[in-house]
Amino acid sequence: MLQVTSSLTIPHRFCGPPSSGNGGWTAGALAAHLGPVGDPGTAPVRVMLRKPPPLDTALDVVVDPATGNPTAAATLGDVLVATASPAPDVVEVEPVDADVARAAEASFVGLTSHPFPGCFSCGPEREPGDGLRIFPGRVDDDSRGQVRVAATWTPADDVDGATTWAALDCVGGWSGDLTERPMVLGSMTARVPALPRAGEEHVLVGGARGIDGRRVHTASTLYDSTGRVVAAAEHVWFTIDPKDFS
């Protein structure tokens, strides 16, 4: 029988909706239990969010080190909150120039209409140095005809794996239009072979990947100042009524 190996607490600072954890930060924090983030040899990890991650509450984490297929699960009592496991590689979103991404931020629709304005990743109500304040605006359609959004991001000195996952999170959601279609993260698969460098301007690009009923599929990629891919992710979102997450 597997035993609890550690715990995971999501501080209120890392909220998405007001009463639950930012999906990307939560996913990154759980994924770290499967191996060091930023290690070039670390395989992509998929995190499934089964319940809204509670804030300021210790979750039990159980890791199954099964050879070739380690998994981790976060639970609150008998309730399964999230699972993490190795996954196939993710598809990258085509890059845009930093100047284009910087200009796109002015058209970020979340500045005037945002389902969760206090979100750690993209909330305009967060102060600089508290939230990430990543404001992706539409730039164009990619070569596949899918909507593409972009923003710049300069990581702070305390950037870590969970923060990098959070940065990759909402930029995908805004390519699926969070204003017209409010959503929360259902699953996220990320490859983070290197942590972004603190103090360096990076570019985040999000791309729409299709809609299947309540499910919205998106992707995101983080580029450094030289155009090198730092990390990439794919997401599955579920449309919701924001009042249910207040």
Side-chain angles (χ1 to χ4, degrees), residues 169-183:
D169 177 10
C170 297
V171 66
W174 287 104
S175 71
D177 196 348
L178 279 164
T179 299
E180 295 296 326
R181 191 181 295 108
M183 304 177 289

PDB file of all heavy atoms in Angstrom, residues 169-183:
ATOM      1  N   ASP A 169       0.290  28.952 -18.437  1.00  0.00           N
ATOM      2  CA  ASP A 169      -1.109  28.581 -18.258  1.00  0.00           C
ATOM      3  C   ASP A 169      -2.064  29.498 -19.023  1.00  0.00           C
ATOM      4  O   ASP A 169      -2.575  29.158 -20.092  1.00  0.00           O
ATOM      5  CB  ASP A 169      -1.404  28.579 -16.754  1.00  0.00           C
ATOM      6  CG  ASP A 169      -2.842  28.279 -16.392  1.00  0.00           C
ATOM      7  OD1 ASP A 169      -3.614  27.882 -17.276  1.00  0.00           O
ATOM      8  OD2 ASP A 169      -3.191  28.437 -15.210  1.00  0.00           O
ATOM      9  N   CYS A 170      -2.304  30.691 -18.494  1.00  0.00           N
ATOM     10  CA  CYS A 170      -3.397  31.525 -18.992  1.00  0.00           C
ATOM     11  C   CYS A 170      -3.184  32.060 -20.400  1.00  0.00           C
ATOM     12  O   CYS A 170      -4.154  32.380 -21.095  1.00  0.00           O
ATOM     13  CB  CYS A 170      -3.643  32.676 -18.030  1.00  0.00           C
ATOM     14  SG  CYS A 170      -4.181  32.129 -16.385  1.00  0.00           S
ATOM     15  N   VAL A 171      -1.941  32.157 -20.838  1.00  0.00           N
ATOM     16  CA  VAL A 171      -1.702  32.622 -22.207  1.00  0.00           C
ATOM     17  C   VAL A 171      -2.355  31.661 -23.199  1.00  0.00           C
ATOM     18  O   VAL A 171      -2.815  32.062 -24.274  1.00  0.00           O
ATOM     19  CB  VAL A 171      -0.192  32.790 -22.479  1.00  0.00           C
ATOM     20  CG1 VAL A 171       0.547  31.459 -22.447  1.00  0.00           C
ATOM     21  CG2 VAL A 171       0.043  33.495 -23.820  1.00  0.00           C
ATOM     22  N   GLY A 172      -2.435  30.382 -22.828  1.00  0.00           N
ATOM     23  CA  GLY A 172      -3.182  29.446 -23.662  1.00  0.00           C
ATOM     24  C   GLY A 172      -4.667  29.731 -23.607  1.00  0.00           C
ATOM     25  O   GLY A 172      -5.355  29.769 -24.633  1.00  0.00           O
ATOM     26  N   GLY A 173      -5.186  29.954 -22.385  1.00  0.00           N
ATOM     27  CA  GLY A 173      -6.610  30.209 -22.236  1.00  0.00           C
ATOM     28  C   GLY A 173      -7.093  31.413 -23.018  1.00  0.00           C
ATOM     29  O   GLY A 173      -8.180  31.389 -23.610  1.00  0.00           O
ATOM     30  N   TRP A 174      -6.279  32.469 -23.063  1.00  0.00           N
ATOM     31  CA  TRP A 174      -6.719  33.674 -23.778  1.00  0.00           C
ATOM     32  C   TRP A 174      -6.728  33.466 -25.286  1.00  0.00           C
ATOM     33  O   TRP A 174      -7.445  34.183 -26.004  1.00  0.00           O
ATOM     34  CB  TRP A 174      -5.865  34.870 -23.382  1.00  0.00           C
ATOM     35  CG  TRP A 174      -6.204  35.339 -21.999  1.00  0.00           C
ATOM     36  CD1 TRP A 174      -5.483  35.139 -20.853  1.00  0.00           C
ATOM     37  CD2 TRP A 174      -7.387  36.033 -21.605  1.00  0.00           C
ATOM     38  NE1 TRP A 174      -6.133  35.669 -19.770  1.00  0.00           N
ATOM     39  CE2 TRP A 174      -7.310  36.226 -20.192  1.00  0.00           C
ATOM     40  CE3 TRP A 174      -8.509  36.519 -22.292  1.00  0.00           C
ATOM     41  CZ2 TRP A 174      -8.315  36.880 -19.475  1.00  0.00           C
ATOM     42  CZ3 TRP A 174      -9.509  37.160 -21.564  1.00  0.00           C
ATOM     43  CH2 TRP A 174      -9.401  37.340 -20.186  1.00  0.00           C
ATOM     44  N   SER A 175      -5.988  32.501 -25.800  1.00  0.00           N
ATOM     45  CA  SER A 175      -6.118  32.182 -27.226  1.00  0.00           C
ATOM     46  C   SER A 175      -7.457  31.511 -27.500  1.00  0.00           C
ATOM     47  O   SER A 175      -7.948  31.518 -28.626  1.00  0.00           O
ATOM     48  CB  SER A 175      -4.964  31.285 -27.692  1.00  0.00           C
ATOM     49  OG  SER A 175      -5.088  29.974 -27.165  1.00  0.00           O
ATOM     50  N   GLY A 176      -8.062  30.933 -26.445  1.00  0.00           N
ATOM     51  CA  GLY A 176      -9.400  30.354 -26.566  1.00  0.00           C
ATOM     52  C   GLY A 176     -10.498  31.321 -26.176  1.00  0.00           C
ATOM     53  O   GLY A 176     -11.663  30.950 -26.136  1.00  0.00           O
ATOM     54  N   ASP A 177     -10.147  32.575 -25.848  1.00  0.00           N
ATOM     55  CA  ASP A 177     -11.063  33.669 -25.540  1.00  0.00           C
ATOM     56  C   ASP A 177     -11.794  33.444 -24.232  1.00  0.00           C
ATOM     57  O   ASP A 177     -12.951  33.015 -24.189  1.00  0.00           O
ATOM     58  CB  ASP A 177     -12.068  33.879 -26.673  1.00  0.00           C
ATOM     59  CG  ASP A 177     -12.773  35.230 -26.555  1.00  0.00           C
ATOM     60  OD1 ASP A 177     -12.641  35.875 -25.492  1.00  0.00           O
ATOM     61  OD2 ASP A 177     -13.435  35.633 -27.506  1.00  0.00           O
ATOM     62  N   LEU A 178     -11.127  33.785 -23.123  1.00  0.00           N
ATOM     63  CA  LEU A 178     -11.688  33.609 -21.791  1.00  0.00           C
ATOM     64  C   LEU A 178     -12.818  34.593 -21.484  1.00  0.00           C
ATOM     65  O   LEU A 178     -13.609  34.361 -20.569  1.00  0.00           O
ATOM     66  CB  LEU A 178     -10.588  33.768 -20.741  1.00  0.00           C
ATOM     67  CG  LEU A 178      -9.704  32.543 -20.511  1.00  0.00           C
ATOM     68  CD1 LEU A 178      -8.439  32.926 -19.758  1.00  0.00           C
ATOM     69  CD2 LEU A 178     -10.479  31.485 -19.744  1.00  0.00           C
ATOM     70  N   THR A 179     -12.922  35.676 -22.230  1.00  0.00           N
ATOM     71  CA  THR A 179     -14.001  36.621 -21.980  1.00  0.00           C
ATOM     72  C   THR A 179     -15.316  36.105 -22.545  1.00  0.00           C
ATOM     73  O   THR A 179     -16.344  36.088 -21.872  1.00  0.00           O
ATOM     74  CB  THR A 179     -13.674  37.998 -22.588  1.00  0.00           C
ATOM     75  OG1 THR A 179     -12.491  38.499 -21.969  1.00  0.00           O
ATOM     76  CG2 THR A 179     -14.812  38.977 -22.354  1.00  0.00           C
ATOM     77  N   GLU A 180     -15.301  35.682 -23.785  1.00  0.00           N
ATOM     78  CA  GLU A 180     -16.509  35.159 -24.411  1.00  0.00           C
ATOM     79  C   GLU A 180     -16.848  33.756 -23.917  1.00  0.00           C
ATOM     80  O   GLU A 180     -17.998  33.342 -23.940  1.00  0.00           O
ATOM     81  CB  GLU A 180     -16.335  35.141 -25.937  1.00  0.00           C
ATOM     82  CG  GLU A 180     -16.196  36.515 -26.559  1.00  0.00           C
ATOM     83  CD  GLU A 180     -17.455  37.349 -26.384  1.00  0.00           C
ATOM     84  OE1 GLU A 180     -18.555  36.761 -26.407  1.00  0.00           O
ATOM     85  OE2 GLU A 180     -17.326  38.575 -26.213  1.00  0.00           O
ATOM     86  N   ARG A 181     -15.842  33.035 -23.450  1.00  0.00           N
ATOM     87  CA  ARG A 181     -16.024  31.640 -23.047  1.00  0.00           C
ATOM     88  C   ARG A 181     -15.248  31.397 -21.759  1.00  0.00           C
ATOM     89  O   ARG A 181     -14.155  30.842 -21.783  1.00  0.00           O
ATOM     90  CB  ARG A 181     -15.515  30.719 -24.169  1.00  0.00           C
ATOM     91  CG  ARG A 181     -15.856  29.259 -24.015  1.00  0.00           C
ATOM     92  CD  ARG A 181     -15.283  28.437 -25.160  1.00  0.00           C
ATOM     93  NE  ARG A 181     -15.888  28.779 -26.439  1.00  0.00           N
ATOM     94  CZ  ARG A 181     -15.269  29.446 -27.416  1.00  0.00           C
ATOM     95  NH1 ARG A 181     -14.023  29.862 -27.250  1.00  0.00           N
ATOM     96  NH2 ARG A 181     -15.894  29.709 -28.543  1.00  0.00           N
ATOM     97  N   PRO A 182     -15.779  31.821 -20.587  1.00  0.00           N
ATOM     98  CA  PRO A 182     -15.047  31.615 -19.324  1.00  0.00           C
ATOM     99  C   PRO A 182     -14.714  30.140 -19.115  1.00  0.00           C
ATOM    100  O   PRO A 182     -15.566  29.266 -19.320  1.00  0.00           O
ATOM    101  CB  PRO A 182     -16.030  32.130 -18.269  1.00  0.00           C
ATOM    102  CG  PRO A 182     -16.892  33.102 -18.996  1.00  0.00           C
ATOM    103  CD  PRO A 182     -17.051  32.527 -20.378  1.00  0.00           C
ATOM    104  N   MET A 183     -13.491  29.871 -18.686  1.00  0.00           N
ATOM    105  CA  MET A 183     -13.016  28.493 -18.574  1.00  0.00           C
ATOM    106  C   MET A 183     -12.124  28.354 -17.354  1.00  0.00           C
ATOM    107  O   MET A 183     -11.577  29.331 -16.860  1.00  0.00           O
ATOM    108  CB  MET A 183     -12.197  28.098 -19.819  1.00  0.00           C
ATOM    109  CG  MET A 183     -12.899  28.252 -21.141  1.00  0.00           C
ATOM    110  SD  MET A 183     -11.817  27.854 -22.544  1.00  0.00           S
ATOM    111  CE  MET A 183     -10.682  29.243 -22.539  1.00  0.00           C
TER     112      MET A 183
END
